[in-house]
Amino acid sequence: MSTTTAELLKGAAELFPGEVVTSAHVRHLELPYGAGRFALITLDNGFDHTKPTTFGPGSLANLNTAIDQVEKEAADGDIVGVGITGKPFIFAVGADLKGVELLKNHDDALAIGKGGHEVFKRLSGLAVPTFAYYNGAAMGGGVEVGLHCSYRTVSQALPAFSLPEVFLGLVPGWGGCALLPNLIGADRAVSVIIENSLNQNKQLNGKKVHELGIADAIFEGADFLEQSLIWTANVLKGDVKVERPDVDRGEAWDQAVARGKSIADSKVHGAAPAAYRALEIIANAKSGDLQAGFDAEDKALADLIMGGELRAGIYSFNLVQKRAKRPAGAPDKNLARPVTKVGVVGAGLMASQLALLFLRRLEVPVVLTDIDQERVDKGVGYVHAEIDKLLGKGRVNQDKANRLKGLVSGVLDKAEGFSDADFIIEAVFEEIGVKQQVFAEVEAVAPAHAILATNTSSLSVSEMASKLKHPERVVGFHFFNPVAILPLLEIVRGEQTDDAALATAFGVAKKLKKTAVLVKDAPAFVVNRILTRFMGEIQNVIDEGTPVEVAEKAVEPLGLPMSPLVLLELVGPAIGLHVSETLNRAFPERFTVSPNLAAVVKAGKRGFYVYSAENDFKPELDPEVAALLKQGDVVLTEEQVRDRVLDAVAQEIGLMLDEGVVAEAQDIDLCLITGAGWPFHLGGITPYLDREGVSERVTGKKFLEAGVASVPA
């Protein structure tokens, strides 16, 4: 490596004093079958698998020193090959993002890209063949260091392998964009770099890595390294010939890039640059000029590191990986009571989904009740059918399936079902009187220590508990639909909820593997309040006269998972109307009830759109809905609509923070990312509002401090 790059890495290391440095240990061994002396580099940061190995500047310098050693040995004829592998369960998971957050200027960002390239590409320049042994989780730079090697093997047990950079707002910047398409073809590379990243950072397993041609051989996890070394010996002796299919550099390459662009357009609508920068590099990699590709990666990496999208992406990553594990405001976990039996009031779809979740995660008896035997049987039947599906997919074995089915039951009599339950959750009709009656009935038969939880989406938990003898044990436990997929759980503290009830709720949430956020008992809590304000403003501009398609298209630059009216269809117009009515009663000056939405609900329509095969099942305005719409004559442009909507959202978030609905703006973003699927690359919403100047325009200040989801000042 050049002195300049060594100095560059040293300078980068000084910017990142807190790096968890990865060592690169070199050991020598004799390969089987007399194949010769071999150097094996092991990447290890000295911690167990819960702290994965990363590459910061100090780590790259260590790898560079190891390569200095094996380069000399190879040149002197002392070794026949070099291998690189990781510590148990972890190969390496890429660049250390904590260091990236600290970078303040373009030159320092460029140094990170150049440093990684200069070190990694030395592996392909050695005088002997090089081998990467993907023994465990490999992501980003961990994948890329292996791409610079001559050959690769992968463990059958490897659970997670990806190039997740585009998901975070970067490009694979240490060779991924240039090397991968030249190894497996542009179309497969687009799937790994663009499609999987934008599909919620989808991971590959070992089998898929081998099928794609990224790895040349696959071996069982138990003796993976031993088998890899035997295979290496056979390759070096010429007994195993590695044959790779020719890469199509014709029209197929251009078609792959075009497919990648259409995926990016459908996911981020041009609002986030990372995917498009990655596609440019993949397109140019068609020439096979790797150095030109590496230079383009350096430039793209530095540009994106100094841009808002990456900072928002890292912010999102930190929210989901760190803040979610330590919920702000949660009481001492030692106050939590054990939960050995769960009761569910209701046996409809939502209640049945909750029963299934509690059953699978807690593995304790779960009992459902409802107003008649037919509903109870249907609820229990749903849970049994879902367990059978898990059995069919091999997710549980027959014994586990039988045990889970044996733990779920249904009864009509609440006294029979709940007399020994520790945690009882209601999922009945969203009407305060109904819920108060249910809680009164449950309190009369439940043990004194039992927690009473409500899955209400918008009603007051305090009001629900107000007529009980012990309102202190009532807590809001608001799940998001579909329950099995969306991680968020809004835990609502009522006016009289005590710490023991709250601690128990957080303890249960953790066992359910949900992201729990503490929320004040305020109308519609967090996600529904923001979404209703957002959707309400869209409805307002439609009611005033703006065409539906203009209103919908206006918010495309946010890169939301679906358009507002498609989301309304998913939620259900009746539920949307109900929540808007609830919020209108609480805040009539800001929340409206759309007469057009009321008309759609009254007409029994499932949404604003119809879908047909002739139109590739794309949403088209339902003619019957169009006939119902009564609009004014105020027609806004897309930009005007977008300003209206974003101003409304910023105002609402400002008010929620003033009211103390959550501890900080970070909790609002965590809720939107995990409960409403708002884009990672936006950081939820507040970094975007700050970046676009909306926060200051509406509230007079930014929601986040400089450097939190932006380049440090």
Side-chain angles (χ1 to χ4, degrees):
M1 183 171 75
S2 68
T3 312
T4 316
T5 309
E7 289 168 354
L8 192 132
L9 275 179
K10 187 181 175 196
E14 287 167 4
L15 293 171
F16 185 19
E19 178 186 357
V20 177
V21 178
T22 296
S23 298
H25 307 287
V26 181
R27 61 187 170 112
H28 295 90
L29 45 93
E30 290 295 327
L31 288 172
Y33 315 128
R37 188 166 181 260
F38 189 76
L40 181 66
I41 300 170
T42 302
L43 303 170
D44 191 345
N45 63 3
F47 293 90
D48 67 14
H49 67 281
T50 59
K51 193 179 276 269
T53 307
T54 53
F55 291 119
S59 307
L60 288 172
N62 283 344
L63 178 57
N64 184 61
T65 301
I67 296 173
D68 283 342
Q69 178 185 336
V70 298
E71 183 178 60
K72 184 175 186 307
E73 292 170 351
D76 292 346
D78 293 340
I79 54 174
V80 294
V82 174
I84 186 164
T85 192
K87 66 183 184 182
F89 309 109
I90 305 287
F91 182 78
V93 298
D96 192 322
L97 292 175
K98 292 193 294 298
V100 173
E101 282 180 275
L102 302 173
L103 297 173
K104 293 183 182 180
N105 65 63
H106 198 273
D107 285 349
D108 291 338
L110 201 61
I112 293 294
K114 284 187 179 298
H117 274 129
E118 291 296 318
V119 175
F120 287 4
K121 72 184 184 185
R122 295 183 71 197
L123 289 165
S124 59
L126 296 180
V128 294
T130 49
F131 298 79
Y133 307 132
Y134 291 125
N135 63 301
M139 296 170 202
V143 169
E144 289 170 301
V145 71
L147 295 178
H148 285 269
C149 294
S150 319
Y151 305 97
R152 286 155 295 281
T153 66
V154 68
S155 168
Q156 185 98 42
L158 180 145
F161 182 105
S162 64
L163 288 170
E165 287 84 354
V166 166
F167 177 65
L168 292 169
L170 278 176
V171 298
W174 286 340
C177 290
L179 290 168
L180 193 62
N182 279 292
L183 176 68
I184 63 174
D187 196 63
R188 288 179 167 189
V190 162
S191 292
V192 176
I193 294 169
I194 306 296
E195 188 170 22
N196 288 358
S197 277
L198 294 179
N199 187 15
Q200 293 300 306
N201 193 20
K202 181 182 175 185
Q203 301 293 314
L204 302 171
N205 59 22
K207 182 168 178 277
K208 191 67 180 171
V209 171
H210 182 238
E211 283 173 5
L212 285 170
I214 300 171
D216 302 301
I218 183 168
F219 301 109
E220 288 292 336
D223 57 352
F224 169 70
L225 187 56
E226 182 186 350
Q227 292 302 319
S228 292
L229 291 169
I230 291 169
W231 181 83
T232 298
N234 284 322
V235 169
L236 291 171
K237 290 184 67 181
D239 295 339
V240 167
K241 293 272 191 295
V242 174
E243 293 180 5
R244 298 180 186 134
D246 290 337
V247 169
D248 187 335
R249 296 182 187 282
E251 198 180 326
W253 195 291
D254 301 331
Q255 287 171 346
V257 173
R259 182 175 77 87
K261 184 175 183 306
S262 99
I263 291 166
D265 287 345
S266 71
K267 294 287 187 180
V268 300
H269 308 284
Y276 303 97
R277 291 296 292 269
L279 286 165
E280 281 174 27
I281 302 168
I282 294 169
N284 292 329
K286 183 178 178 179
S287 68
D289 184 343
L290 293 179
Q291 188 54 53
F294 297 162
D295 291 344
E297 287 176 348
D298 287 341
K299 174 79 165 61
L301 200 66
D303 290 348
L304 291 166
I305 284 173
M306 299 314 294
E309 185 204 1
L310 170 69
R311 304 302 171 133
I314 294 174
Y315 168 77
S316 296
F317 184 81
N318 288 337
L319 289 180
V320 171
Q321 295 297 321
K322 296 174 184 173
R323 193 175 184 92
K325 293 177 174 60
R326 292 185 288 278
D332 182 349
K333 62 183 179 184
N334 293 318
L335 296 171
R337 299 172 186 144
V339 173
T340 59
K341 182 178 180 181
V342 173
V344 181
V345 186
L349 181 59
M350 190 66 179
S352 302
Q353 288 184 66
L354 295 180
L356 178 68
L357 180 69
F358 279 94
L359 185 67
R360 288 192 64 201
R361 298 289 186 228
L362 271 60
E363 295 190 27
V364 299
V366 175
V367 59
L368 298 100
T369 67
D370 213 313
I371 54 174
D372 60 53
Q373 193 63 45
E374 185 182 347
R375 292 178 201 225
V376 169
D377 292 345
K378 190 176 177 184
V380 173
Y382 169 88
V383 176
H384 282 199
E386 291 299 309
I387 293 168
D388 285 336
K389 285 181 193 173
L390 294 170
L391 178 63
K393 291 175 184 172
R395 303 269 295 279
V396 296
N397 60 27
Q398 189 65 61
D399 284 350
K400 178 90 174 268
N402 291 345
R403 191 165 78 254
L404 290 176
K405 284 184 182 180
L407 285 170
V408 65
S409 61
V411 295
L412 287 176
D413 183 0
K414 290 184 179 67
E416 180 188 343
F418 298 156
S419 61
D420 56 349
D422 309 300
F423 192 96
I424 302 162
I425 184 166
E426 69 76 23
V428 299
F429 185 66
E430 193 77 346
E431 205 280 311
I432 194 73
V434 174
K435 289 181 185 285
Q436 285 177 331
Q437 183 187 339
V438 161
F439 270 155
E441 291 170 2
V442 169
E443 186 180 49
V445 298
H449 69 272
I451 304 302
L452 308 186
T454 169
N455 184 46
T456 182
S457 60
S458 61
L459 300 176
S460 167
V461 174
S462 304
E463 190 180 346
M464 220 175 286
S466 61
K467 297 182 179 178
L468 298 179
K469 294 189 184 77
H470 295 285
E472 70 277 0
R473 56 173 170 164
V474 177
V475 63
F477 216 59
H478 179 217
F479 290 88
F480 288 78
N481 217 349
V483 169
I485 295 170
L486 289 176
L488 180 63
L489 182 53
E490 291 178 338
I491 295 186
V492 187
R493 180 171 208 152
E495 287 170 13
Q496 297 193 61
T497 307
D498 65 19
D499 282 352
L502 208 56
T504 306
F506 274 99
V508 170
K510 188 172 182 181
K511 287 182 180 172
L512 294 176
K513 298 185 179 176
K514 292 296 180 185
T515 296
V517 175
L518 180 62
V519 179
K520 182 182 173 184
D521 187 18
F525 316 127
V526 176
V527 172
N528 283 344
R529 180 162 163 184
I530 292 170
L531 286 185
T532 304
R533 187 76 197 274
F534 174 81
M535 301 283 284
E537 212 54 48
I538 294 280
Q539 288 283 356
N540 287 345
V541 299
I542 292 172
D543 293 354
E544 289 165 17
T546 299
V548 169
E549 61 274 15
V550 173
E552 287 268 82
K553 209 163 184 302
V555 292
E556 273 190 1
L558 274 74
L560 299 175
M562 62 190 73
S563 77
L565 294 183
V566 172
L567 173 63
L568 180 67
E569 195 171 298
L570 183 71
V571 171
I575 292 172
L577 180 65
H578 172 75
V579 177
S580 69
E581 287 170 341
T582 302
L583 282 160
N584 172 255
R585 285 193 292 273
F587 310 114
E589 69 285 0
R590 299 193 311 280
F591 287 86
T592 54
V593 177
S594 165
N596 281 321
L597 178 57
V600 167
V601 172
K602 188 178 178 184
K605 304 300 292 184
R606 290 180 56 250
F608 277 63
Y609 294 127
V610 287
Y611 303 85
S612 64
E614 300 87 67
N615 195 35
D616 293 331
F617 296 101
K618 290 175 183 167
E620 294 177 277
L621 188 61
D622 183 340
E624 292 180 17
V625 170
L628 291 171
L629 295 182
K630 289 185 169 60
Q631 294 180 280
D633 55 7
V634 178
V635 179
L636 302 183
T637 65
E638 287 177 23
E639 190 177 355
Q640 288 171 323
V641 172
R642 187 161 54 251
D643 285 349
R644 274 265 301 263
V645 171
L646 293 177
D647 284 4
V649 170
Q651 182 194 31
E652 205 58 40
I653 290 170
L655 291 167
M656 289 166 71
L657 293 172
D658 290 345
E659 292 168 25
V661 175
V662 288
E664 292 180 290
Q666 283 90 330
D667 291 314
I668 283 177
D669 292 318
L670 181 57
C671 285
L672 286 173
I673 291 165
T674 57
W678 277 44
F680 231 68
H681 67 262
L682 291 187
I685 185 61
T686 66
Y688 179 82
L689 295 172
D690 284 354
R691 205 160 68 234
E692 296 295 311
V694 181
S695 314
E696 287 178 283
R697 183 170 75 230
V698 175
T699 69
K701 61 183 180 181
K702 291 187 174 180
F703 290 119
L704 301 168
E705 291 177 22
V708 173
S710 55
V711 177

